[in-house]
Amino acid sequence: MSQIKILLIDDDDTLRRVLTRELQQIGFAVSALADARDLAARLAVEEPDVVLLDLKLPGVDGHAALSAINKTDPDLPVIVLTGHGSVEDAVKAMQAGAYDFLQKPTRTAILEQTLRRAFERRALRQENVRLRRLADGSTQPTLLGDSAAMQDLRARIARVARSDGSVLIQGENGSGKELVARDVHASSARREQSFVVVNCSAVPEDLVHSELFGHVKGSFTGADRARVGLFEAAHQGTLFLDEIGDLPLAMQPALLRAVQFGEVRPVGADRTRHVDVRVLAATNRDLHAMIGDGRFREDLYYRLATLELAVPPLRARPDDVAPLAATFLRRCNARSNRAQFLSDDAVAALRAHSWPGNVRELENAITRLATMVDEAEISADAVDRYALQNARPSTGELPTLEIASLERMAIEAAMQRFGGDKKRAAEAVGISLKTLYNKLHAQRGDDSIESQ
């Protein structure tokens, strides 16, 4: 079993050294800080299981630190350390979300018992979350961010989830529309049933009907067996139609009937079948303009938009940039077994960017930084060099050439860092080993990579 990780925050040098030594002798892994400055960044790096927090700290006091921890990780247990005469402050901290409090000095046995209880509660909560995700069939990450815009979106998701009506989710590319759809499903009465996703722009036009509604054996050349469509696969569950604005006009009447009446007819079938499906659809297109141009049916729009959700772009919620960046960097650290963190100036540079590619662009930028920067601390200069140097107009789409160039740089840097070890390089870049081999093969004319 891995060691329980404790983050100790106390400005008393002597107490900090004594507690660190005692806890390490018991078997805990301990990181110690003298103050709570840059706490969010340190939490991302340390990833503690329990925090031991003194209330009387220079600069950022313990109460403010507790509030910051609760926002970053509400399930992270915080045990408050308090001196004599400050029990009232400790009680206040408990009311604000602290797990427990201990008076200084405290016996080692009591400290150990309290820490282990706190860890067990955190482990139990994490297991409950894992089981809930297994139950609703989703292991995808949920929406991140605690800005007012995201709190409002979560409240609207909760209201929409109580209904069984169709939902149209609108937002820019990379803003998290599929995560919104998954949260609606996970909060709905259909959570125990299937969540089926289809990207309408990725299905060839001549196969859309078969993909959505299925086909019978022999209904067309190559149909050597019957196929169940995605509507039937999602029976009693939720069907998410991503990029609905790209659905061919000829297919829209059949979709309208399926959404309105729950009737589908497989290709080649002589009768319709009934399905019970909740339909969620998403688009970054202006459907009203498409209706005016005759490219989207008005009746289908109103059937899909029984309920509507708008996902705010990242530039509209700058307070979410820092916690999102910390989360993405923590994932990179876990893959590469490193402990990088963003400097205050780096966070400020990230916040100042408009992020036309939204959360997806930010995640890509953090992956580049984690790959290209060798130092533990990522500076503002590195952000400007590797994350923002190719800033582009707000089109909502990432240029193919730019991505290929940056991906190439990331692969080169990872191959150099790990001395040509392709497995470790692939893990650092966040791609499979097979994908790395394919990309190296595609670039075999370039000695800068193949010679590593």
Side-chain angles (χ1 to χ4, degrees):
M1 180 182 295
S2 60
Q3 288 181 302
I4 299 174
K5 293 180 288 186
I6 309 298
L7 178 60
L8 169 62
I9 309 174
D10 197 305
D11 64 334
D12 186 324
D13 293 340
T14 301
L15 178 64
R16 197 169 62 251
R17 285 196 299 270
V18 170
L19 280 180
T20 298
R21 184 176 63 252
E22 290 182 348
L23 291 173
Q24 287 174 338
Q25 289 174 347
I26 295 171
F28 293 105
V30 184
S31 297
L33 302 174
D35 57 60
R37 289 177 297 183
D38 301 332
L39 184 57
R42 294 308 298 263
L43 288 173
V45 172
E46 304 293 345
E47 293 189 272
D49 297 309
V50 186
V51 174
L52 272 173
L53 176 67
D54 184 20
L55 288 179
K56 304 298 182 182
L57 294 171
V60 179
D61 70 13
H63 292 290
L66 174 62
S67 176
I69 292 170
N70 284 338
K71 286 184 178 180
T72 303
D73 186 350
D75 288 333
L76 177 59
V78 178
I79 298 172
V80 168
L81 295 172
T82 178
H84 291 295
S86 57
V87 174
E88 184 177 342
D89 279 342
V91 172
K92 179 182 175 183
M94 294 282 290
Q95 293 171 341
Y99 171 74
D100 205 343
F101 74 92
L102 297 171
Q103 282 191 313
K104 302 177 184 177
T106 186
R107 289 188 300 168
T108 303
I110 294 176
L111 177 58
E112 178 184 5
Q113 184 182 43
T114 307
L115 286 169
R116 293 194 184 281
R117 280 204 316 266
F119 171 74
E120 288 169 2
R121 187 184 76 159
R122 177 173 175 79
L124 180 62
R125 286 188 172 185
Q126 290 176 332
E127 178 65 8
N128 286 339
V129 169
R130 186 187 71 82
L131 292 174
R132 282 199 300 270
R133 286 180 175 175
L134 287 175
D136 65 35
S138 171
T139 57
Q140 297 294 322
T142 188
L143 288 166
L144 299 172
D146 197 42
S147 63
M150 291 306 292
Q151 290 182 30
D152 179 64
L153 177 59
R154 289 193 188 94
R156 286 184 286 121
I157 287 173
R159 289 195 296 271
V160 165
R162 291 196 292 265
S163 168
D164 204 39
S166 301
V167 184
L168 180 62
I169 304 167
Q170 295 180 291
E172 296 177 4
N173 281 346
S175 58
K177 297 186 292 296
E178 182 173 338
L179 293 180
V180 170
R182 290 184 179 276
D183 276 4
V184 170
H185 172 74
S187 302
S188 74
R190 297 176 182 261
R191 67 177 69 89
E192 303 294 335
Q193 306 301 324
S194 299
F195 179 83
V196 178
V197 179
V198 57
N199 188 322
C200 297
S201 66
V203 182
E205 185 168 347
D206 58 341
L207 295 178
V208 174
H209 195 115
S210 174
E211 188 75 10
L212 292 179
F213 306 130
H215 61 254
V216 300
K217 181 179 178 180
S219 56
F220 54 86
T221 303
D224 56 350
R225 66 186 66 183
R227 174 174 178 170
V228 173
L230 294 177
F231 263 87
E232 288 189 84
H235 181 59
Q236 296 186 334
T238 302
L239 178 64
F240 176 50
L241 301 172
D242 199 7
E243 305 295 352
I244 190 65
D246 292 333
L247 187 73
L249 187 62
M251 269 300 304
Q252 293 178 23
L255 178 61
L256 173 63
R257 190 160 190 84
V259 176
Q260 186 168 3
F261 301 110
E263 293 180 357
V264 299
R265 176 174 290 183
V267 177
D270 56 4
R271 65 184 63 184
T272 60
R273 301 174 185 174
H274 181 76
V275 293
D276 173 18
V277 174
R278 185 183 193 184
V279 174
L280 311 180
T283 184
N284 66 332
R285 293 175 175 265
D286 184 346
L287 294 186
H288 287 289
M290 293 181 67
I291 291 170
D293 294 340
R295 291 178 292 140
F296 202 87
R297 290 179 62 107
E298 186 174 24
D299 50 1
L300 176 58
Y301 168 81
Y302 285 113
R303 179 57 59 181
L304 292 173
T306 301
L307 301 165
E308 294 185 85
L309 290 170
V311 186
L314 188 53
R315 62 182 172 275
R317 47 188 184 104
D319 289 347
D320 288 333
V321 171
L324 281 168
T327 297
F328 297 145
L329 185 57
R330 184 164 61 246
R331 293 173 185 170
C332 291
N333 284 337
R335 286 196 298 265
S336 61
N337 197 28
R338 304 178 71 193
Q340 290 180 300
F341 63 96
L342 295 159
S343 70
D344 289 346
D345 289 342
V347 172
L350 292 171
R351 281 177 54 92
H353 186 51
S354 63
W355 301 111
N358 293 295
V359 179
R360 186 182 300 138
E361 183 189 1
L362 175 59
E363 184 173 15
N364 290 342
I366 296 300
T367 300
R368 293 197 298 271
L369 287 168
T371 303
M372 303 300 291
V373 176
D374 292 324
E375 294 77 19
E377 182 179 67
I378 297 175
S379 65
D381 179 65
V383 169
D384 184 62
R385 241 178 114 189
Y386 300 119
L388 306 182
Q389 64 175 345
N390 293 305
R392 52 193 164 62
S394 180
T395 63
E397 297 188 6
L398 302 176
T400 302
L401 182 59
E402 177 187 329
I403 289 180
S405 176
L406 292 169
E407 185 178 67
R408 178 186 181 86
M409 291 169 58
I411 291 174
E412 288 178 345
M415 289 288 287
Q416 291 172 358
R417 175 182 301 155
F418 297 112
D421 187 325
K422 294 182 176 63
K423 182 177 180 181
R424 296 180 67 190
E427 291 174 350
V429 178
I431 60 179
S432 69
L433 184 59
K434 180 180 179 181
T435 299
L436 179 67
Y437 273 110
N438 290 339
K439 291 183 182 297
L440 291 177
H441 179 71
Q443 299 167 358
R444 62 180 178 270
D446 188 337
D447 293 338
S448 65
I449 289 183
E450 287 290 3
S451 61
Q452 302 302 323

